[in-house]
């Protein structure tokens, strides 16, 4: 036990060696920063692979040090190629720069046998590592089955194989997703039956060619929407069966978004999930969203699952809270602090206009659609058609066309989220709340994951500012100018709307349009009228042969009544 006022969890981490997969990703970087700042660990090993010709040690330096704009990122064109220093580790570099020396890159690859690590590195990990955080995965919803299986399932199998060799392992935390069982409207913190024997699916990816495997994929994943949720569910089973004797725990976050408090408010470094939608709306590019009104959207700030991961690793070894089955902890907001789509729209309208981007392409005045046809019509008219026009102009002036490519990526990304925007889920997090209740006040302060404390209005505002600062690389000191520009764009937007309305009115009120309407409605009325009425309309008293037994007065009388 730690002394009064001291952190029991921090003390448990003292002198420990940690191994992290996915350490260069969004979750991994926040986890790394939190461990360095609050846990006196001995060493942290990050599994990293060379990327675009950059070796792992250089990639590790890039995480901590100066980084230029990513020229492979389409948004770098919008940002004007500006650069910005990575602010994630600024606090650590100022207060305790020596802890960065505790981090070591291990050259390897989650998709390779034996994780692609050398014999020397494996021997070091086997001897030294006490805690494993397995966060590496592909989160691409459209990933081919073979790729998803290799990364999410076989990657987990390889990590478990290495963990079995570790002589001093005390905890292995696997990062899954709350949507691994999204075919169920209500999900508890338990291991559900596997949709298929994981080994059988692995065999299918080894035996079948790409075309046949992709043909079978929709039938395999049904009723789940994609390969991501399907393979993450199976990875849980691989972890439990292959790692039956290992000290494991599973953390299931919902839709991970920018930070609330740590490492700094609103921090985010990617366009995945809702961040991409928020940036698209703020830039005035995304102007229509197909969504079910009133549904609960389960967003979770990234610092919540990170703190839960650190605490669950400690709990596995300390045994403070012992679930009756596999220790699975859901990190979600829907049951404690529900955020409905209607509430989100209100928060976004305030935050996007209170903290506008410096150079939006259009005034952010999009809307939610409940009708898919109207949504598709809006996308085609407002996004796809202008993109083609823009690329045509770019070709005419001798520049590279990029608008259609960017537009198609946006439409594809929005389409991938459609399944999650049209359904409600209840993700129970009872175990996470029980684990929270076991913490001391000091640890609750340091490793905060209490959902009840979340204020959605304040968080969405913080999230918007974070996108402005860390995605668009814009300074908050430029806000007065950005707001003035937003007011000008609002005026121009309304002016264009008025001009378009006037144009439509002129078209509808023109003499030719009026004649067309007259012909159309007269024709429609004639087609819809009853035969007797048509006869009465054409009857002039002469030359008309009536049916037997029907007099002229009878027809005239019927016409008068109708």
């Amino acid at each position: 036990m730690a002394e009064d006022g001291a952190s029991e969890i921090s003390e448990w981490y003292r002198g420990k060696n940690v191994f992290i997969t996915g350490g260069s990703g969004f979750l991994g970087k926040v986890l790394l920063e939190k461990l360095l700042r609050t846990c006196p660990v001995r060493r942290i090993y990050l599994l990293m692979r060379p990327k675009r010709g950059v070796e792992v040690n250089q990639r590790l330096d890039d995480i901590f040090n100066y980084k230029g704009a990513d020229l492979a990122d389409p948004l770098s064109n919008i940002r004007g190629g500006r650069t910005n220093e990575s602010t994630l580790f600024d606090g650590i570099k100022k207060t305790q720069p020596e802890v960065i020396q505790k981090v070591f890159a291990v050259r390897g690859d989650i998709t390779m046998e034996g994780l692609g690590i050398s014999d020397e590195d494996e021997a070091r990990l086997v001897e030294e590592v006490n805690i494993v955080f397995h966060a590496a995965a592909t989160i691409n919803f459209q990933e081919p089955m073979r790729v998803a299986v290799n990364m999410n399932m076989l990657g987990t199998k390889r990590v478990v194989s290495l963990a079995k060799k570790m002589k001093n392992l005390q905890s292995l935390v696997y990062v899954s997703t709350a949507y691994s069982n999204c075919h169920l409207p209500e999900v508890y913190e338990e291991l559900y039956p596997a949709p298929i024997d994981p080994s059988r699916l692995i065999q299918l990816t080894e035996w079948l060619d790409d075309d046949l495997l992709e043909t079978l994929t929709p039938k395999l994943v049904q009723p789940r929407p994609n390969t991501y949720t399907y393979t993450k569910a199976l990875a849980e089973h691989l972890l439990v069966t292959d790692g039956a004797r290992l000290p494991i725990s599973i953390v299931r976050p919902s839709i991970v978004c920018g930070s609330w408090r740590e490492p700094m408010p609103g921090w985010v470094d990617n366009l995945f999930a809702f961040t991409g939608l928020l940036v698209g709306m703020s830039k005035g590019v995304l102007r229509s969203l197909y969504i079910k009104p009133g549904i609960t959207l389960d967003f979770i700030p990234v610092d919540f699952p990170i703190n839960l991961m650190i605490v669950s690793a400690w709990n596995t070894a300390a045994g403070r809270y012992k679930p009756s089955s596999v220790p699975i902890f859901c990190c979600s907001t829907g049951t404690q602090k529900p955020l409905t789509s209607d509430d989100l729209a209100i928060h976004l309208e305030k935050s996007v206009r209170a903290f506008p981007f410096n150079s939006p392409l259009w005034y952010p005045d999009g809307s939610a659609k409940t009708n898919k046809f109207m949504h598709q019509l809006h996308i085609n008219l407002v996004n796809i058609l202008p993109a083609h026009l823009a690329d045509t102009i770019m070709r005419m002036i001798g520049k590279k066309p990029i608008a259609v490519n960017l537009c198609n990526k946006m439409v594809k990304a929005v389409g991938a989220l459609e399944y999650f925007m049209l359904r409600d889920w209840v993700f129970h997090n009872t175990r996470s709340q029980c684990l929270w209740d076991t913490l001391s006040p000091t640890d609750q302060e340091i490793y905060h994951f209490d959902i009840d404390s979340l204020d959605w209005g304040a968080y969405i505002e913080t999230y918007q500012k974070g996108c402005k600062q860390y995605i668009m690389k814009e300074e908050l000191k430029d806000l007065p100018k950005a707001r003035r520009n937003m007011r000008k764009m609002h005026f121009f937007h309304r002016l264009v709307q008025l001009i378009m309305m006037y144009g439509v009115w002129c078209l509808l009120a023109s003499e030719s349009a009026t004649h067309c309407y007259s012909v159309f409605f007269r024709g429609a009325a004639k087609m819809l009228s009853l035969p007797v009425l048509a006869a009465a309309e054409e009857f002039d008293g002469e030359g008309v042969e009536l049916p037997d037994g029907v007099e002229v007065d009878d027809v005239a009388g019927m016409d008068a009544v109708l």
Side-chain angles (χ1 to χ4, degrees):
M1 293 289 291
E3 297 179 2
D4 291 344
S7 168
E8 184 178 353
I9 295 176
S10 294
E11 280 303 310
W12 179 79
Y13 275 91
R14 184 175 298 278
K16 298 269 193 315
N17 295 301
V18 181
F19 177 60
I20 302 174
T21 70
S24 61
F26 180 46
L27 275 170
K29 281 183 281 192
V30 180
L31 172 63
L32 176 62
E33 192 276 342
K34 181 73 175 190
L35 288 171
L36 290 175
R37 179 161 47 88
T38 66
C39 299
V41 297
R42 180 171 175 263
R43 286 180 179 175
I44 297 177
Y45 295 103
L46 298 184
L47 182 70
M48 302 181 74
R49 62 184 175 88
K51 189 175 182 180
R52 296 172 186 164
V54 180
E55 276 300 322
V56 294
N57 287 327
Q58 182 59 53
R59 290 192 65 200
L60 182 60
D61 288 340
D62 289 342
I63 290 177
F64 293 118
N65 301 315
Y66 185 84
K67 295 169 64 178
D70 184 2
L71 298 180
D73 176 8
L75 278 178
S76 63
N77 296 310
I78 299 174
R79 299 172 187 148
R82 288 172 289 175
T83 59
N84 190 51
E85 187 174 359
S86 174
T87 57
L88 178 60
F89 296 93
D90 281 357
I92 289 177
K93 288 189 286 185
K94 291 177 182 178
T95 59
Q96 42 182 337
E98 70 282 355
V99 301
I100 292 177
Q101 304 304 317
K102 296 180 178 182
V103 185
F104 297 86
V106 176
R107 195 179 197 274
D109 192 331
I110 198 76
T111 66
M112 297 176 64
E113 285 302 318
L115 298 177
I117 60 180
S118 67
D119 292 340
E120 181 182 356
D121 285 335
E122 179 178 318
R124 182 181 298 110
L125 296 175
V126 167
E127 289 292 331
E128 296 184 8
V129 169
N130 309 109
I131 307 156
V132 174
F133 290 101
H134 176 35
T138 173
I139 58 175
N140 182 358
F141 290 167
Q142 281 89 26
E143 202 76 86
M145 180 65 81
R146 193 184 311 281
V147 177
V149 167
N150 193 20
M151 289 207 57
N152 296 345
M153 293 175 61
L154 288 173
T156 300
K157 196 176 182 70
R158 293 166 188 139
V159 170
V160 170
S161 179
L162 177 62
K164 286 180 178 179
K165 302 176 185 178
M166 294 176 176
K167 298 178 180 179
N168 302 297
L169 183 68
Q170 295 179 263
S171 185
L172 190 163
V173 178
Y174 172 60
V175 183
S176 183
T177 171
Y179 294 91
S180 58
N181 298 287
C182 61
H183 61 296
L184 303 172
E186 191 170 10
V187 182
Y188 291 86
E189 294 162 298
E190 61 185 59
L191 189 68
Y192 286 87
I196 188 176
D197 183 348
S199 61
R200 185 182 176 192
L201 179 62
I202 292 172
Q203 288 176 339
L204 287 176
T205 62
E206 293 171 345
W207 296 342
L208 303 180
D209 60 35
D210 290 342
D211 291 339
L212 184 53
L213 188 59
E214 288 308 299
T215 301
L216 289 175
T217 293
K219 296 180 180 179
L220 286 171
V221 302
Q222 193 178 16
R224 290 174 175 82
N226 51 50
T227 57
Y228 170 69
T229 56
Y230 183 69
T231 54
K232 291 295 277 187
L234 291 170
E236 291 184 2
H237 282 269
L238 281 173
L239 178 74
V240 172
T241 55
D242 287 17
R245 297 183 180 180
L246 294 177
I248 63 172
S249 60
I250 298 173
V251 174
R252 290 176 178 168
S254 54
I255 301 174
V256 181
C257 300
S259 65
W260 182 33
R261 296 176 175 175
E262 302 176 273
M264 65 275 298
W267 189 81
V268 63
D269 75 337
N270 63 75
L271 292 171
F272 294 128
F274 184 69
T275 304
L277 301 185
L278 181 54
V279 171
M281 288 184 284
S282 300
K283 290 296 292 184
V285 176
L286 180 59
R287 309 192 61 77
S288 178
L289 195 62
Y290 181 40
I291 189 169
K292 181 180 177 181
I295 65 169
T296 299
L297 301 171
D298 210 306
F299 298 153
I300 189 76
V302 66
D303 32 338
F304 284 77
I306 293 303
N307 287 328
L308 179 56
M309 288 162 60
I310 294 174
V311 172
S312 64
W314 160 81
N315 180 71
T316 299
R320 191 60 53 82
Y321 169 62
K322 297 180 180 180
S324 57
S325 57
V326 180
I328 298 175
F329 302 100
C330 182
C331 195
S332 60
T333 56
T335 55
Q336 288 178 262
K337 280 280 185 174
L339 173 69
T340 68
S341 56
D342 299 334
D343 293 334
L344 178 63
I346 294 172
H347 294 317
L348 285 176
E349 184 176 2
K350 295 178 181 178
S351 62
V352 169
R353 294 168 189 176
F355 300 93
F357 290 171
N358 289 351
S359 303
L361 300 179
W362 198 259
Y363 183 71
D365 191 33
S367 61
K369 304 289 192 303
T370 57
N371 182 283
K372 189 167 186 177
F373 173 78
M374 295 304 298
H375 168 69
Q376 289 296 135
L377 180 64
H378 195 114
I379 289 290
N380 279 282
L381 292 177
V382 177
N383 293 106
I384 296 177
L385 180 60
H388 280 279
L389 292 175
D391 275 1
T392 300
I393 295 173
M394 295 293 278
R395 291 190 185 93
M396 291 174 63
I397 62 178
K399 292 189 176 182
K400 183 179 179 180
I402 61 171
V404 172
N405 185 38
L406 289 175
C407 183
N408 288 339
K409 287 182 178 180
M410 183 196 73
V411 171
K412 186 177 180 180
V414 172
L417 292 173
E418 185 176 295
Y419 179 90
F420 304 95
M421 296 292 186
L422 298 174
R423 290 165 176 81
D424 257 321
W425 286 274
V426 177
F427 297 122
H428 293 278
N429 63 344
T430 304
R431 289 182 176 179
S432 294
Q433 294 181 58
C434 290
L435 180 58
W436 169 258
D437 291 337
T438 68
L439 303 187
S440 67
T442 300
D443 282 327
Q444 287 185 344
E445 179 65 26
I446 298 174
Y447 304 103
H448 187 88
F449 59 91
D450 179 26
I451 305 301
D452 283 332
S453 62
L454 186 60
D455 182 326
W456 282 117
Y459 171 67
I460 297 299
E461 183 177 286
T462 298
Y463 195 5
Q464 170 68 16
K465 286 191 287 186
C467 289
K468 179 177 176 66
Q469 291 177 276
Y470 308 117
I471 297 294
M472 302 309 300
K473 312 297 185 185
E474 298 175 357
E475 301 289 342
L476 292 182
K477 65 181 181 181
D478 298 330
L479 269 175
K481 182 178 178 181
R483 287 167 178 162
R484 288 195 298 271
N485 184 46
M486 181 65 71
R487 287 193 290 269
K488 293 178 183 178
M489 294 201 76
H490 185 207
F491 172 78
F492 183 69
H493 174 65
R494 296 305 181 200
L495 180 63
V496 169
Q497 285 183 321
L498 286 173
I499 292 173
M500 292 178 65
M501 290 173 63
Y502 177 72
V504 172
W505 181 83
C506 289
L507 178 64
L508 297 179
S510 64
E511 184 176 344
S512 58
T514 303
H515 176 70
C516 290
Y517 301 147
S518 177
V519 172
F520 172 78
F521 284 116
R522 278 187 296 174
K526 192 170 184 179
M527 291 175 62
L528 295 174
S529 61
L530 294 173
V532 175
L533 295 181
E537 184 180 56
E538 296 175 2
F539 177 64
D540 60 1
E542 296 182 6
V544 177
E545 191 175 323
L546 297 176
D548 294 341
V550 177
E551 301 294 335
V552 172
D553 290 342
D554 294 333
V555 175
M558 185 181 296
D559 184 39
V561 171
L562 294 176

